[in-house]
Amino acid sequence: DAKTTQPPSMDCAEGRAANLPCNHSTISGNEYVYWYRQIHSQGPQYIIHGLKNNETNEMASLIITEDRKSSTLILPHATLRDTAVYYCIVRAQTLTGTASKLTFGTGTRLQVTL
Amino acid sequence: KAGVTQTPRYLIKTRGQQVTLSCSPISGHRSVSWYQQTPGQGLQFLFEYFSETQRNKGNFPGRFSGRQFSNSRSEMNVSTLELGDSALYLCASSLGDRVAGYTFGSGTRLTVV
C-alpha cells in the first residue's frame, strides 16, 4: 500500500473550515484514498473515501488533486466534537477484488478551539 | 442498527496466560478485521477474516490467532501473554467488497501484568 504523509497537528477555530492535507505521491491507479478519525479512546470512525473525483457526504468533503498525489479533507464547520486524530489511508485492491488491510500512519491531531 | 460489539471492554491478565477476545460485526457484514493499538506502534493490522477464512494477515507472531464463525462473529486469541501485548484491540467489520468502509468497535483494552 502507498505511504501517506500528514502534518502531525493542526488547530482550527470552532465554526471555521478545517482543511487537513495528505500527501500520497506514490499512490497507484487502483488505490483509493480513505479518511478515518479517532476520538480519544474510541475506535476509528470512517469519514469518506474516493478514487479520483471529489466526494462529499454529511460529514466532510474530500478533494483529490488531478494527479492523485495529494488530497485534502475538509470539515466545513468544525466543532469541538471534531477534535480527534485524523488518518489518511490509501488502500489497495487485489486483482481478485478482495479488500485489503488498512495501514494507519500517525495521522493529524486536529484541535478545535473556541 | 447495532454497531460492532466487542467484549469484554477491559481485561487484566498475567504474563504467560492466554486470552480470547470477541467481536460481533454489524449484521450482514462478512468481513472482520483485528487491529492492535499501542502508544508506541500506533494502529497495526493483525488479520482479516471473510466468510470464515483468513484472507489477510499482518506481521505478528504466531501467538496471535483468530477465527470467524458461520454467523460472522470473530474471536482472536493471544497465547503466552507478554507485557508488550498490553494494548487496545480493535475489531472492524465491513461488507468485504472492494471499496466498503470499515466500522470499528470500541475495542478491548488488555493489560498484561
Side-chain angles (χ1 to χ4, degrees):
Chain A
D1 292 346
K3 191 172 174 167
T4 61
T5 305
Q6 299 178 253
S9 64
M10 292 182 65
D11 292 329
C12 179
E14 190 176 35
R16 305 297 292 267
N19 296 283
L20 292 92
C22 179
N23 181 286
H24 33 79
S25 58
T26 60
I27 193 169
S28 300
N30 69 342
E31 289 179 320
Y32 287 75
V33 180
Y34 286 76
W35 283 83
Y36 284 78
R37 72 180 182 184
Q38 187 173 27
I39 296 169
H40 184 61
S41 295
Q42 297 181 21
Q45 177 189 23
Y46 165 81
I47 301 173
I48 199 168
H49 74 274
L51 181 63
K52 295 184 200 178
N53 302 319
N54 299 337
E55 303 287 345
T56 296
N57 63 20
E58 65 278 2
M59 286 183 70
S61 294
L62 173 60
I63 308 296
I64 302 175
T65 57
E66 196 168 335
D67 63 7
R68 304 213 319 125
K69 293 185 177 182
S70 65
S71 61
T72 301
L73 177 75
I74 301 172
L75 308 178
H77 305 287
T79 71
L80 296 178
R81 282 186 283 189
D82 292 321
T83 293
V85 177
Y86 287 77
Y87 296 97
C88 168
I89 299 164
V90 290
R91 178 181 161 200
Q93 307 300 311
T94 67
L95 291 176
T96 60
T98 55
S100 180
K101 63 184 179 182
L102 297 174
T103 301
F104 288 86
T106 52
T108 296
R109 186 171 298 276
L110 175 69
Q111 180 69 51
V112 180
T113 56
L114 290 171
Chain B
K1 61 182 177 182
V4 178
T5 304
Q6 291 189 247
T7 56
R9 285 298 310 276
Y10 301 93
L11 204 50
I12 300 175
K13 288 286 189 179
T14 304
R15 197 170 42 179
Q17 287 186 313
Q18 75 162 15
V19 66
T20 299
L21 311 181
S22 179
C23 173
S24 293
I26 289 174
S27 177
H29 283 191
R30 296 165 65 191
S31 165
V32 174
S33 301
W34 289 88
Y35 290 79
Q36 180 197 65
Q37 186 171 29
T38 60
Q41 299 297 319
L43 274 155
Q44 293 188 288
F45 172 78
L46 279 156
F47 28 66
E48 182 201 9
Y49 287 87
F50 180 80
S51 294
E52 301 179 66
T53 301
Q54 186 183 88
R55 69 176 181 182
N56 208 342
K57 187 176 187 303
N59 191 24
F60 277 81
R63 300 185 298 107
F64 292 81
S65 63
R67 60 178 175 166
Q68 187 180 32
F69 302 96
S70 58
N71 61 357
S72 293
R73 191 177 70 85
S74 177
E75 290 181 346
M76 69 162 280
N77 184 277
V78 188
S79 62
T80 320
L81 283 166
E82 301 176 0
L83 296 179
D85 296 333
S86 294
L88 180 65
Y89 290 88
L90 291 156
C91 164
S93 78
S94 87
L95 290 170
D97 61 25
R98 289 171 64 94
V99 297
Y102 287 85
T103 302
F104 282 80
S106 297
T108 294
R109 184 162 296 281
L110 171 66
T111 301
V112 182
V113 297

mmCIF file of all heavy atoms in Angstrom, chain A residues 59-91:
data_model
loop_
_atom_site.group_PDB
_atom_site.id
_atom_site.type_symbol
_atom_site.label_atom_id
_atom_site.label_comp_id
_atom_site.label_asym_id
_atom_site.label_seq_id
_atom_site.Cartn_x
_atom_site.Cartn_y
_atom_site.Cartn_z
ATOM 1 N N MET A 59 -20.600 14.364 6.502
ATOM 2 C CA MET A 59 -19.547 14.683 7.466
ATOM 3 C C MET A 59 -18.490 15.625 6.888
ATOM 4 O O MET A 59 -17.981 16.496 7.591
ATOM 5 C CB MET A 59 -18.832 13.408 7.921
ATOM 6 C CG MET A 59 -19.633 12.551 8.874
ATOM 7 S SD MET A 59 -18.664 11.127 9.421
ATOM 8 C CE MET A 59 -17.442 11.910 10.444
ATOM 9 N N ALA A 60 -18.112 15.391 5.631
ATOM 10 C CA ALA A 60 -16.937 16.097 5.104
ATOM 11 C C ALA A 60 -16.911 16.071 3.585
ATOM 12 O O ALA A 60 -17.733 15.413 2.945
ATOM 13 C CB ALA A 60 -15.674 15.420 5.646
ATOM 14 N N SER A 61 -15.925 16.787 3.048
ATOM 15 C CA SER A 61 -15.629 16.744 1.615
ATOM 16 C C SER A 61 -14.202 16.271 1.429
ATOM 17 O O SER A 61 -13.334 16.558 2.265
ATOM 18 C CB SER A 61 -15.795 18.117 0.970
ATOM 19 O OG SER A 61 -17.135 18.538 1.006
ATOM 20 N N LEU A 62 -13.984 15.545 0.340
ATOM 21 C CA LEU A 62 -12.657 15.058 0.003
ATOM 22 C C LEU A 62 -12.284 15.610 -1.355
ATOM 23 O O LEU A 62 -13.006 15.381 -2.334
ATOM 24 C CB LEU A 62 -12.642 13.526 -0.017
ATOM 25 C CG LEU A 62 -11.362 12.848 -0.506
ATOM 26 C CD1 LEU A 62 -10.169 13.220 0.366
ATOM 27 C CD2 LEU A 62 -11.547 11.328 -0.538
ATOM 28 N N ILE A 63 -11.177 16.330 -1.378
ATOM 29 C CA ILE A 63 -10.678 16.893 -2.628
ATOM 30 C C ILE A 63 -9.400 16.160 -2.995
ATOM 31 O O ILE A 63 -8.447 16.140 -2.214
ATOM 32 C CB ILE A 63 -10.366 18.403 -2.486
ATOM 33 C CG1 ILE A 63 -11.562 19.151 -1.892
ATOM 34 C CG2 ILE A 63 -9.952 18.993 -3.833
ATOM 35 C CD1 ILE A 63 -12.803 19.135 -2.740
ATOM 36 N N ILE A 64 -9.384 15.519 -4.157
ATOM 37 C CA ILE A 64 -8.209 14.782 -4.629
ATOM 38 C C ILE A 64 -7.656 15.531 -5.836
ATOM 39 O O ILE A 64 -8.392 15.864 -6.764
ATOM 40 C CB ILE A 64 -8.584 13.337 -5.015
ATOM 41 C CG1 ILE A 64 -9.210 12.610 -3.824
ATOM 42 C CG2 ILE A 64 -7.351 12.573 -5.505
ATOM 43 C CD1 ILE A 64 -9.730 11.211 -4.142
ATOM 44 N N THR A 65 -6.349 15.787 -5.826
ATOM 45 C CA THR A 65 -5.747 16.503 -6.949
ATOM 46 C C THR A 65 -5.811 15.656 -8.205
ATOM 47 O O THR A 65 -5.939 14.424 -8.156
ATOM 48 C CB THR A 65 -4.286 16.863 -6.650
ATOM 49 O OG1 THR A 65 -3.562 15.655 -6.348
ATOM 50 C CG2 THR A 65 -4.192 17.822 -5.471
ATOM 51 N N GLU A 66 -5.674 16.329 -9.338
ATOM 52 C CA GLU A 66 -5.838 15.634 -10.617
ATOM 53 C C GLU A 66 -4.798 14.522 -10.795
ATOM 54 O O GLU A 66 -5.096 13.464 -11.341
ATOM 55 C CB GLU A 66 -5.704 16.642 -11.757
ATOM 56 C CG GLU A 66 -6.222 16.109 -13.081
ATOM 57 C CD GLU A 66 -6.348 17.196 -14.135
ATOM 58 O OE1 GLU A 66 -6.508 18.380 -13.759
ATOM 59 O OE2 GLU A 66 -6.287 16.847 -15.310
ATOM 60 N N ASP A 67 -3.579 14.746 -10.304
ATOM 61 C CA ASP A 67 -2.549 13.712 -10.410
ATOM 62 C C ASP A 67 -2.646 12.673 -9.293
ATOM 63 O O ASP A 67 -1.873 11.723 -9.255
ATOM 64 C CB ASP A 67 -1.149 14.332 -10.433
ATOM 65 C CG ASP A 67 -0.804 15.070 -9.149
ATOM 66 O OD1 ASP A 67 -1.589 15.006 -8.172
ATOM 67 O OD2 ASP A 67 0.244 15.738 -9.116
ATOM 68 N N ARG A 68 -3.610 12.872 -8.390
ATOM 69 C CA ARG A 68 -3.901 11.951 -7.275
ATOM 70 C C ARG A 68 -2.767 11.836 -6.274
ATOM 71 O O ARG A 68 -2.785 10.959 -5.421
ATOM 72 C CB ARG A 68 -4.273 10.565 -7.793
ATOM 73 C CG ARG A 68 -5.429 10.551 -8.747
ATOM 74 C CD ARG A 68 -6.296 9.323 -8.693
ATOM 75 N NE ARG A 68 -5.540 8.088 -8.552
ATOM 76 C CZ ARG A 68 -5.749 7.208 -7.582
ATOM 77 N NH1 ARG A 68 -6.681 7.425 -6.682
ATOM 78 N NH2 ARG A 68 -5.051 6.100 -7.529
ATOM 79 N N LYS A 69 -1.804 12.720 -6.319
ATOM 80 C CA LYS A 69 -0.675 12.603 -5.402
ATOM 81 C C LYS A 69 -0.945 13.247 -4.054
ATOM 82 O O LYS A 69 -0.147 13.111 -3.126
ATOM 83 C CB LYS A 69 0.580 13.208 -6.044
ATOM 84 C CG LYS A 69 1.060 12.403 -7.247
ATOM 85 C CD LYS A 69 2.354 12.916 -7.800
ATOM 86 C CE LYS A 69 2.826 12.028 -8.946
ATOM 87 N NZ LYS A 69 4.117 12.462 -9.509
ATOM 88 N N SER A 70 -2.014 13.953 -3.928
ATOM 89 C CA SER A 70 -2.367 14.520 -2.628
ATOM 90 C C SER A 70 -3.873 14.718 -2.545
ATOM 91 O O SER A 70 -4.584 14.682 -3.563
ATOM 92 C CB SER A 70 -1.654 15.854 -2.388
ATOM 93 O OG SER A 70 -2.103 16.823 -3.310
ATOM 94 N N SER A 71 -4.342 14.885 -1.320
ATOM 95 C CA SER A 71 -5.770 15.110 -1.108
ATOM 96 C C SER A 71 -5.958 15.994 0.115
ATOM 97 O O SER A 71 -5.028 16.170 0.921
ATOM 98 C CB SER A 71 -6.524 13.788 -0.940
ATOM 99 O OG SER A 71 -6.042 13.066 0.181
ATOM 100 N N THR A 72 -7.151 16.532 0.253
ATOM 101 C CA THR A 72 -7.492 17.374 1.392
ATOM 102 C C THR A 72 -8.858 16.972 1.910
ATOM 103 O O THR A 72 -9.811 16.858 1.133
ATOM 104 C CB THR A 72 -7.525 18.864 1.013
ATOM 105 O OG1 THR A 72 -6.245 19.252 0.503
ATOM 106 C CG2 THR A 72 -7.858 19.729 2.225
ATOM 107 N N LEU A 73 -8.930 16.749 3.191
ATOM 108 C CA LEU A 73 -10.209 16.506 3.852
ATOM 109 C C LEU A 73 -10.700 17.833 4.395
ATOM 110 O O LEU A 73 -9.951 18.540 5.078
ATOM 111 C CB LEU A 73 -10.057 15.499 4.992
ATOM 112 C CG LEU A 73 -11.327 15.222 5.785
ATOM 113 C CD1 LEU A 73 -12.264 14.328 4.958
ATOM 114 C CD2 LEU A 73 -11.024 14.567 7.127
ATOM 115 N N ILE A 74 -11.933 18.173 4.093
ATOM 116 C CA ILE A 74 -12.492 19.439 4.553
ATOM 117 C C ILE A 74 -13.677 19.182 5.475
ATOM 118 O O ILE A 74 -14.638 18.513 5.079
ATOM 119 C CB ILE A 74 -12.937 20.315 3.365
ATOM 120 C CG1 ILE A 74 -11.763 20.599 2.431
ATOM 121 C CG2 ILE A 74 -13.556 21.624 3.866
ATOM 122 C CD1 ILE A 74 -12.140 21.284 1.144
ATOM 123 N N LEU A 75 -13.559 19.675 6.707
ATOM 124 C CA LEU A 75 -14.694 19.707 7.618
ATOM 125 C C LEU A 75 -15.235 21.122 7.541
ATOM 126 O O LEU A 75 -14.589 22.061 8.008
ATOM 127 C CB LEU A 75 -14.259 19.379 9.049
ATOM 128 C CG LEU A 75 -13.450 18.090 9.252
ATOM 129 C CD1 LEU A 75 -13.058 17.942 10.713
ATOM 130 C CD2 LEU A 75 -14.230 16.887 8.778
ATOM 131 N N PRO A 76 -16.401 21.338 6.945
ATOM 132 C CA PRO A 76 -16.817 22.696 6.591
ATOM 133 C C PRO A 76 -17.039 23.633 7.777
ATOM 134 O O PRO A 76 -16.735 24.821 7.688
ATOM 135 C CB PRO A 76 -18.105 22.489 5.791
ATOM 136 C CG PRO A 76 -18.547 21.116 6.105
ATOM 137 C CD PRO A 76 -17.350 20.323 6.481
ATOM 138 N N HIS A 77 -17.569 23.114 8.862
ATOM 139 C CA HIS A 77 -17.818 23.958 10.037
ATOM 140 C C HIS A 77 -17.397 23.164 11.267
ATOM 141 O O HIS A 77 -18.198 22.449 11.864
ATOM 142 C CB HIS A 77 -19.299 24.340 10.138
ATOM 143 C CG HIS A 77 -19.841 24.995 8.905
ATOM 144 N ND1 HIS A 77 -19.525 26.288 8.552
ATOM 145 C CD2 HIS A 77 -20.645 24.518 7.923
ATOM 146 C CE1 HIS A 77 -20.134 26.591 7.412
ATOM 147 N NE2 HIS A 77 -20.804 25.535 7.002
ATOM 148 N N ALA A 78 -16.138 23.246 11.608
ATOM 149 C CA ALA A 78 -15.604 22.409 12.687
ATOM 150 C C ALA A 78 -16.252 22.760 14.030
ATOM 151 O O ALA A 78 -16.516 23.926 14.335
ATOM 152 C CB ALA A 78 -14.094 22.587 12.777
ATOM 153 N N THR A 79 -16.508 21.722 14.818
ATOM 154 C CA THR A 79 -17.000 21.907 16.181
ATOM 155 C C THR A 79 -16.018 21.260 17.148
ATOM 156 O O THR A 79 -15.123 20.508 16.740
ATOM 157 C CB THR A 79 -18.383 21.264 16.370
ATOM 158 O OG1 THR A 79 -18.233 19.832 16.355
ATOM 159 C CG2 THR A 79 -19.356 21.688 15.279
ATOM 160 N N LEU A 80 -16.220 21.514 18.426
ATOM 161 C CA LEU A 80 -15.317 20.947 19.433
ATOM 162 C C LEU A 80 -15.309 19.421 19.343
ATOM 163 O O LEU A 80 -14.303 18.767 19.629
ATOM 164 C CB LEU A 80 -15.733 21.402 20.829
ATOM 165 C CG LEU A 80 -15.631 22.905 21.102
ATOM 166 C CD1 LEU A 80 -16.136 23.221 22.511
ATOM 167 C CD2 LEU A 80 -14.206 23.401 20.927
ATOM 168 N N ARG A 81 -16.440 18.845 18.941
ATOM 169 C CA ARG A 81 -16.531 17.384 18.856
ATOM 170 C C ARG A 81 -15.729 16.810 17.684
ATOM 171 O O ARG A 81 -15.603 15.589 17.582
ATOM 172 C CB ARG A 81 -17.987 16.959 18.751
ATOM 173 C CG ARG A 81 -18.708 16.999 20.087
ATOM 174 C CD ARG A 81 -20.099 16.439 19.992
ATOM 175 N NE ARG A 81 -21.018 17.386 19.370
ATOM 176 C CZ ARG A 81 -22.323 17.211 19.322
ATOM 177 N NH1 ARG A 81 -22.886 16.131 19.815
ATOM 178 N NH2 ARG A 81 -23.097 18.110 18.759
ATOM 179 N N ASP A 82 -15.216 17.674 16.829
ATOM 180 C CA ASP A 82 -14.362 17.200 15.739
ATOM 181 C C ASP A 82 -12.910 17.061 16.172
ATOM 182 O O ASP A 82 -12.059 16.642 15.372
ATOM 183 C CB ASP A 82 -14.464 18.155 14.547
ATOM 184 C CG ASP A 82 -15.832 18.127 13.888
ATOM 185 O OD1 ASP A 82 -16.406 17.021 13.776
ATOM 186 O OD2 ASP A 82 -16.322 19.197 13.487
ATOM 187 N N THR A 83 -12.594 17.434 17.400
ATOM 188 C CA THR A 83 -11.231 17.245 17.907
ATOM 189 C C THR A 83 -10.924 15.759 17.946
ATOM 190 O O THR A 83 -11.627 14.979 18.602
ATOM 191 C CB THR A 83 -11.094 17.859 19.320
ATOM 192 O OG1 THR A 83 -11.222 19.281 19.227
ATOM 193 C CG2 THR A 83 -9.749 17.511 19.925
ATOM 194 N N ALA A 84 -9.896 15.363 17.211
ATOM 195 C CA ALA A 84 -9.591 13.940 17.044
ATOM 196 C C ALA A 84 -8.282 13.802 16.275
ATOM 197 O O ALA A 84 -7.722 14.790 15.791
ATOM 198 C CB ALA A 84 -10.715 13.237 16.270
ATOM 199 N N VAL A 85 -7.826 12.561 16.144
ATOM 200 C CA VAL A 85 -6.717 12.257 15.236
ATOM 201 C C VAL A 85 -7.325 11.794 13.918
ATOM 202 O O VAL A 85 -8.171 10.892 13.913
ATOM 203 C CB VAL A 85 -5.795 11.170 15.811
ATOM 204 C CG1 VAL A 85 -4.690 10.833 14.804
ATOM 205 C CG2 VAL A 85 -5.187 11.627 17.134
ATOM 206 N N TYR A 86 -6.897 12.406 12.837
ATOM 207 C CA TYR A 86 -7.425 12.106 11.507
ATOM 208 C C TYR A 86 -6.377 11.333 10.707
ATOM 209 O O TYR A 86 -5.231 11.755 10.594
ATOM 210 C CB TYR A 86 -7.805 13.400 10.784
ATOM 211 C CG TYR A 86 -9.057 14.019 11.351
ATOM 212 C CD1 TYR A 86 -9.027 14.717 12.556
ATOM 213 C CD2 TYR A 86 -10.281 13.869 10.708
ATOM 214 C CE1 TYR A 86 -10.187 15.253 13.109
ATOM 215 C CE2 TYR A 86 -11.443 14.412 11.245
ATOM 216 C CZ TYR A 86 -11.381 15.093 12.442
ATOM 217 O OH TYR A 86 -12.531 15.612 12.980
ATOM 218 N N TYR A 87 -6.807 10.206 10.182
ATOM 219 C CA TYR A 87 -5.910 9.341 9.427
ATOM 220 C C TYR A 87 -6.287 9.334 7.947
ATOM 221 O O TYR A 87 -7.446 9.121 7.599
ATOM 222 C CB TYR A 87 -5.986 7.903 9.938
ATOM 223 C CG TYR A 87 -5.538 7.695 11.356
ATOM 224 C CD1 TYR A 87 -6.451 7.638 12.398
ATOM 225 C CD2 TYR A 87 -4.185 7.534 11.660
ATOM 226 C CE1 TYR A 87 -6.037 7.430 13.703
ATOM 227 C CE2 TYR A 87 -3.764 7.327 12.960
ATOM 228 C CZ TYR A 87 -4.694 7.275 13.973
ATOM 229 O OH TYR A 87 -4.279 7.069 15.264
ATOM 230 N N CYS A 88 -5.294 9.546 7.122
ATOM 231 C CA CYS A 88 -5.437 9.426 5.678
ATOM 232 C C CYS A 88 -4.809 8.086 5.293
ATOM 233 O O CYS A 88 -3.668 7.808 5.669
ATOM 234 C CB CYS A 88 -4.722 10.588 4.999
ATOM 235 S SG CYS A 88 -4.493 10.445 3.223
ATOM 236 N N ILE A 89 -5.540 7.266 4.585
ATOM 237 C CA ILE A 89 -5.071 5.912 4.267
ATOM 238 C C ILE A 89 -5.305 5.662 2.789
ATOM 239 O O ILE A 89 -6.370 5.991 2.256
ATOM 240 C CB ILE A 89 -5.857 4.872 5.085
ATOM 241 C CG1 ILE A 89 -5.651 5.100 6.577
ATOM 242 C CG2 ILE A 89 -5.477 3.455 4.689
ATOM 243 C CD1 ILE A 89 -6.664 4.377 7.437
ATOM 244 N N VAL A 90 -4.305 5.091 2.128
ATOM 245 C CA VAL A 90 -4.533 4.618 0.769
ATOM 246 C C VAL A 90 -4.622 3.103 0.834
ATOM 247 O O VAL A 90 -3.877 2.447 1.547
ATOM 248 C CB VAL A 90 -3.447 5.086 -0.219
ATOM 249 C CG1 VAL A 90 -3.566 6.570 -0.463
ATOM 250 C CG2 VAL A 90 -2.083 4.721 0.262
ATOM 251 N N ARG A 91 -5.569 2.582 0.123
ATOM 252 C CA ARG A 91 -5.911 1.180 0.290
ATOM 253 C C ARG A 91 -5.932 0.499 -1.065
ATOM 254 O O ARG A 91 -6.666 0.913 -1.954
ATOM 255 C CB ARG A 91 -7.259 1.079 0.974
ATOM 256 C CG ARG A 91 -7.782 -0.311 1.179
ATOM 257 C CD ARG A 91 -9.148 -0.217 1.845
ATOM 258 N NE ARG A 91 -9.897 -1.439 1.686
ATOM 259 C CZ ARG A 91 -11.208 -1.521 1.823
ATOM 260 N NH1 ARG A 91 -11.902 -0.440 2.102
ATOM 261 N NH2 ARG A 91 -11.817 -2.665 1.677
#
